[in-house]
Amino acid sequence: MFVCRREGPQSMQKIELSNLDHDLIAAAAAAIKKPVIQIENRKAPALVCAALRLDDGEIVTALNMTADVGSLSMCAEPQAIAEANRRTDRVIETVVAVYYPPEGEPKVIPPCGRCREIITDFSPAGFVIMRDPGTDNLYKVRGVDLLPYKYGDYWQDGRLI
């Protein structure tokens, strides 16, 4: 019988947040709290905002989009990365996602697996701000540490290695 043991992120180096990191979280929280224009047939309000800090200090934010067909819904992180990608001479340094439930206060959440892939594609040396589950303990880690055995690592020159 095969037994799968879930290993926690104990081996990741948790790095203390800087004032700039706290500013990034505040920017995401402010953006998700800001009223948005109602669009016809809109099914659900945005509940997640991603904020990215670029190497020149600029902060880019984006909201998630919920669609009728679930697979068409989009997380906030890829939308923010797409906007940041328009600045071809810039590098994404740090990423954070904030969830804002209708009955609570914004909280930092981890990126999903798909978002971890895109973060490591577009910010391979970047950081992701995280929160320990059930706590307000915030820290940052290297994005690549959230995704060991990345899909792209198995390909070289268009061939499976």
Side-chain angles (χ1 to χ4, degrees):
M1 178 165 87
F2 177 76
V3 177
C4 180
R5 293 191 182 147
R6 183 168 183 237
E7 296 293 325
Q10 296 86 356
S11 62
M12 284 189 298
Q13 181 185 2
K14 295 180 178 181
I15 302 165
E16 188 174 333
L17 299 184
S18 68
N19 288 337
L20 291 175
D21 296 325
H22 288 286
D23 292 345
L24 187 64
I25 297 166
I32 194 67
K33 285 182 172 183
K34 190 181 296 184
V36 295
I37 298 169
Q38 283 296 95
I39 300 171
E40 188 176 339
N41 296 326
R42 186 179 176 150
K43 300 299 180 194
L47 298 175
V48 177
C49 180
L52 316 175
R53 186 176 58 250
L54 305 179
D55 60 344
D56 66 351
E58 181 184 3
I59 293 177
V60 175
T61 62
L63 304 175
N64 73 296
M65 291 180 9
T66 303
D68 285 341
V69 176
S71 63
L72 296 178
S73 295
M74 296 180 68
C75 293
E77 295 95 327
Q79 299 207 106
I81 289 169
E83 177 60 28
N85 200 38
R86 294 176 61 221
R87 293 133 174 98
T88 56
D89 58 337
R90 301 276 51 105
V91 174
I92 299 169
E93 287 188 341
T94 306
V95 178
V96 68
V98 172
Y99 174 75
Y100 184 41
E103 70 287 343
E105 286 299 312
K107 284 195 176 272
V108 171
I109 59 171
C112 71
R114 287 175 40 172
C115 289
R116 291 174 191 213
E117 282 282 349
I118 199 161
I119 288 167
T120 57
D121 281 353
F122 288 88
S123 182
F127 293 94
V128 176
I129 296 175
M130 301 284 289
R131 178 178 56 84
D132 284 330
T135 74
D136 291 326
N137 181 35
L138 299 173
Y139 52 90
K140 64 184 176 184
V141 298
R142 290 257 175 224
V144 295
D145 289 343
L146 295 175
L147 194 64
Y149 307 112
K150 179 177 170 47
Y151 182 77
D153 292 344
Y154 290 87
W155 297 90
Q156 187 174 42
D157 299 323
R159 297 178 60 125
L160 180 64
I161 56 171

